[in-house]
Amino acid sequence: MAAFPLPPGSVIGILGGGQLGRMLALAAARLGFDVAILEPEPDSPAARVAAHSIVAAYDDPAALARLAELADVITYEFENVPAQAVAMLTELGAATAPNARALAVAQDRVEEKSFLNKAGVPTVAFAEAHDAASAAEAMALVGAPALMKTRRDGYDGKGQKWVEHAAGAAAALKDLGGAPAIVEAPADFLRELSVIAARGRDGEIAVYPPGENHHENGVLRRTAAPAKITKKAAEQIERIAHQILNSLDYVGVIGVELFEIKGGKLLVNEIAPRVHNTGHWTQDGCEVDQFEQHIRAVAGWPLGPTEPHAFVEMTNLLGEEAADWPRLAAEPESRLHLYGKREIKPGRKMGHVNRLHPLD
């Protein structure tokens, strides 16, 4: 087991080779670390900027043993890494961060909301459904209309269905493949906010200013940050971040999505135990961005400052939009981040652009 803080020259292991892994690897390199990527797909964006690449399934025993041998600490770029993989790494004596509990909570929407409520964090009303009878009971408890989502997996609007009437609960569950589900009361929110926060190995917490998010077809399109919110709301969001991080005994960066309701009330929608799309604005708007912050945290280093030095509008580049890079690169206020994905597909996240403006 490695001793923390890790010195430069140590190896950071990352489960996942997509764009988040790539940006984590680049941040780690700036701090003098080498990176080892474990990813099932060959020629992944993260592997091409890392010192070591292991191409194998996430739960491949030999691959995990190799990663544990190479890396001084292991983290992950997305929360759907098989829990079995983290358990196997732990058995091998590898240090992992964030911890297995954070992963388990985030992988199951019922567990997630139950955890949040126990931690004193408000959410919409919810109930679980696993068959026709429990789906009807959930609708009776939550009320109609309601949003039914699969308990596990599903992202960017996938794996969910609106249920307009209680009588349609069984059919909605069937449409979702019959998988265990959660039924959520609708949130009549004014806007979606999010906050990126980090907790170090010594319990130190650093919170970035919240951002305001805009979605299209269930996919994040833009984040504007720092969001224009009241001091009371900012204090409430910071308090929520502290409650979540401390309750999980968390190490690393976390993304927390919130709904702002009329009257200034805030409800947490979901948490992501990793660096987050809504935190990309920090790359060009803050002294230390979320990727470096995550590396600092998992390596046991002091956390960096989170103060903003610009107002940033982050826009995701989907599909062919990334081919417009010559124009985007020519915009003086823009900072272009492309993910190195070999193939452009409709709706695929190919990069993002941060447009900088003076702070008010």
Side-chain angles (χ1 to χ4, degrees):
M1 185 73 73
F4 295 97
L6 297 178
S10 301
V11 177
I12 310 290
I14 301 176
L15 294 169
Q19 66 263 22
L20 299 179
R22 181 184 178 98
M23 289 182 276
L24 282 170
L26 292 170
R30 287 201 309 273
L31 299 181
F33 295 110
D34 284 343
V35 169
I37 300 292
L38 173 57
E39 160 66 40
E41 297 296 324
D43 193 38
S44 67
R48 296 202 304 275
V49 299
H52 310 277
S53 174
I54 304 169
V55 180
Y58 293 123
D59 55 359
D60 182 298
L64 290 169
R66 175 61 177 153
L67 184 64
E69 179 185 5
L70 279 171
D72 296 290
V73 67
I74 299 168
T75 188
Y76 42 86
E77 69 150 5
F78 70 118
E79 61 268 40
N80 288 325
V81 170
Q84 179 187 0
V86 178
M88 292 170 72
L89 287 167
T90 302
E91 289 174 7
L92 290 165
T96 59
N99 58 34
R101 183 175 178 228
L103 196 63
V105 165
Q107 285 181 346
D108 186 309
R109 290 185 172 88
V110 171
E111 292 294 328
E112 180 182 50
K113 282 192 163 52
S114 299
F115 157 75
L116 289 168
N117 289 173
K118 288 177 184 175
V121 176
T123 67
V124 296
F126 67 96
E128 57 184 298
H130 57 271
D131 57 20
S134 59
E137 291 172 3
M139 288 297 298
L141 182 65
V142 172
L147 185 60
M148 185 180 290
K149 303 176 182 177
T150 54
R151 284 181 64 158
R152 305 180 71 86
D153 302 321
Y155 61 93
D156 288 347
K158 300 178 178 67
Q160 61 185 50
K161 190 174 181 64
W162 278 102
V163 186
E164 298 297 335
H165 306 284
L173 189 65
K174 185 177 180 180
D175 287 346
L176 293 176
I182 183 172
V183 177
E184 298 179 356
D188 185 19
F189 60 94
L190 300 174
R191 56 179 173 168
E192 182 190 288
L193 301 170
S194 61
V195 65
I196 304 298
R199 186 173 183 270
R201 292 188 175 275
D202 61 355
E204 177 190 7
I205 290 177
V207 182
Y208 289 90
E212 180 174 341
N213 306 318
H214 300 272
H215 291 77
E216 293 177 10
N217 301 317
V219 178
L220 179 70
R221 203 70 171 102
R222 296 181 303 279
T223 296
K228 293 176 172 58
I229 58 175
T230 64
K231 181 181 179 182
K232 181 180 178 180
E235 291 172 347
Q236 186 179 349
I237 290 171
E238 183 159 347
R239 185 165 59 250
I240 285 171
H242 278 250
Q243 287 170 269
I244 293 170
L245 290 167
N246 286 328
S247 294
L248 287 172
D249 193 21
Y250 195 88
V251 173
V253 161
I254 196 169
V256 182
E257 296 180 4
L258 309 104
F259 294 138
E260 183 183 21
I261 312 297
K262 289 180 180 178
K265 185 178 180 181
L266 293 164
L267 303 176
V268 171
N269 179 35
E270 62 182 32
I271 61 175
R274 54 173 171 83
V275 288
H276 199 252
N277 197 167
T278 64
H280 291 352
W281 72 274
T282 64
Q283 288 176 296
D284 302 294
C286 292
E287 295 183 46
V288 170
D289 68 38
Q290 66 165 342
F291 299 100
E292 179 180 330
Q293 196 77 283
H294 186 76
I295 297 299
R296 283 171 171 257
V298 302
W301 284 30
L303 300 183
T306 58
E307 286 79 13
H309 55 71
F311 175 80
V312 182
E313 293 178 286
M314 187 285 299
T315 303
N316 275 327
L317 299 176
L318 307 178
E320 290 290 343
E321 292 171 351
D324 201 22
W325 61 264
R327 180 185 65 81
L328 295 169
E331 293 179 354
E333 76 280 12
S334 296
R335 304 294 179 267
L336 184 61
H337 300 264
L338 297 175
Y339 302 152
K341 295 181 179 179
R342 300 294 195 193
E343 185 180 0
I344 292 178
K345 298 178 183 178
R348 190 182 195 190
K349 291 177 182 176
M350 301 299 298
H352 64 272
V353 60
N354 284 332
R355 292 185 171 89
L356 277 62
H357 307 280
L359 284 169
D360 290 342

